[in-house]
Amino acid sequence: FHTGDIIDTYTDVEQWECAQRNFGLVPKNVMSLYLTGNHDVGFTSADYSYYYEYFGDGEKVLPGGNGGIYNNGKAQYILYSTQNCDYIFLGFGWNITEGMVNWAKDLLETYSDRVCILMTHSYLDTDATLTSNGELLYDGIVSTCPNVALVLCGHMHGTAVSVSTFDDDGDGTAERTVTQILADYQGES
């Protein structure tokens, strides 16, 4: 799983070619999600054309996965089961919209029996507070969908952890814990 910033400068063809070669080493039957970050699509432009050219906008986005995509891969999910648990891995690229959140809420209701691992580019800051994208996801999905158990993100240079508890059945006792982790080592030497 990759939470975005696959490359540094989204218009640099050499960087995309290098990323395509290296990510191409992952066997096609390996479940994987490659989410976009602001460096992959532009901070304000959200230009997905280079990402689509080098990583695809459909089947290539979900190699080896049993899942689906929203809006040409701007959000993606994979269903995966082990002997002991059924999962839904849910990923959001850069520039999250209300439409993406609504799509995900419907998806998590459909697969309410699966544990959700949510991944996105921007969610936590280095002081473990929520970014604006994080607030949108927290309010729209994390706090309201009882199957969300873990959130992974990048974007901010550093690491942070935040733990939230939720009383999903309204009995006054929190029965769900969601761990939220920022891991972005691009500033490390």
Side-chain angles (χ1 to χ4, degrees), residues 25-34 62-65 78:
L25 297 172
V26 177
K28 299 297 180 209
N29 64 341
V30 171
M31 178 181 65
S32 47
L33 284 177
Y34 305 129
L62 295 168
I78 292 177

Side-chain angles (χ1 to χ4, degrees), residues 124-129 151 153 158-162 180-184:
L124 285 181
D125 205 330
T126 54
D127 63 357
T129 59
V151 181
C153 68
T159 60
V161 175
S162 178
Q180 301 140 109
I181 302 171
L182 162 68
D184 183 330

Side-chain angles (χ1 to χ4, degrees), residues 9-180:
T9 305
Y10 81 100
T11 56
D12 188 322
V13 170
E14 187 175 317
Q15 289 180 22
W16 281 112
E17 290 172 347
C18 179
Q20 186 183 49
R21 275 191 314 276
N22 286 290
F23 280 88
L25 297 172
V26 177
K28 299 297 180 209
N29 64 341
V30 171
M31 178 181 65
S32 47
L33 284 177
Y34 305 129
L35 306 173
T36 59
N38 54 299
H39 287 274
D40 304 318
V41 296
F43 191 79
T44 57
S45 64
D47 175 2
Y48 276 72
S49 60
Y50 288 93
Y51 174 76
Y52 292 156
E53 181 177 343
Y54 291 94
F55 280 78
D57 64 349
E59 290 179 19
K60 291 181 191 173
V61 174
L62 295 168
N66 175 18
I69 60 173
Y70 173 85
N71 198 0
N72 292 327
K74 293 178 182 173
Q76 310 164 33
Y77 75 94
I78 292 177
L79 304 176
Y80 181 76
S81 296
T82 66
Q83 289 180 341
N84 300 321
C85 193
D86 296 320
Y87 294 95
I88 179 168
F89 295 94
L90 178 59
F92 294 92
W94 181 250
N95 202 21
I96 296 170
T97 65
E98 284 289 336
M100 293 163 87
V101 169
N102 292 333
W103 170 79
K105 286 174 74 167
D106 290 344
L107 191 64
L108 291 177
E109 186 174 318
T110 299
Y111 295 108
S112 60
D113 59 332
R114 291 179 172 267
V115 174
C116 176
I117 310 297
L118 188 140
M119 294 156 284
T120 190
H121 186 58
S122 174
Y123 183 84
L124 285 181
D125 205 330
T126 54
D127 63 357
T129 59
L130 296 168
T131 64
S132 58
N133 276 330
E135 289 176 4
L136 183 63
L137 290 174
Y138 186 90
D139 293 341
I141 297 173
V142 175
S143 66
T144 63
C145 297
N147 48 339
V148 176
L150 177 66
V151 181
L152 306 173
C153 68
H155 185 55
M156 304 306 289
H157 302 201
T159 60
V161 175
S162 178
V163 177
S164 299
T165 57
F166 299 97
D167 175 13
D168 292 320
D169 62 10
D171 69 354
T173 302
E175 51 276 321
R176 178 169 59 109
T177 300
V178 178
T179 303
Q180 301 140 109

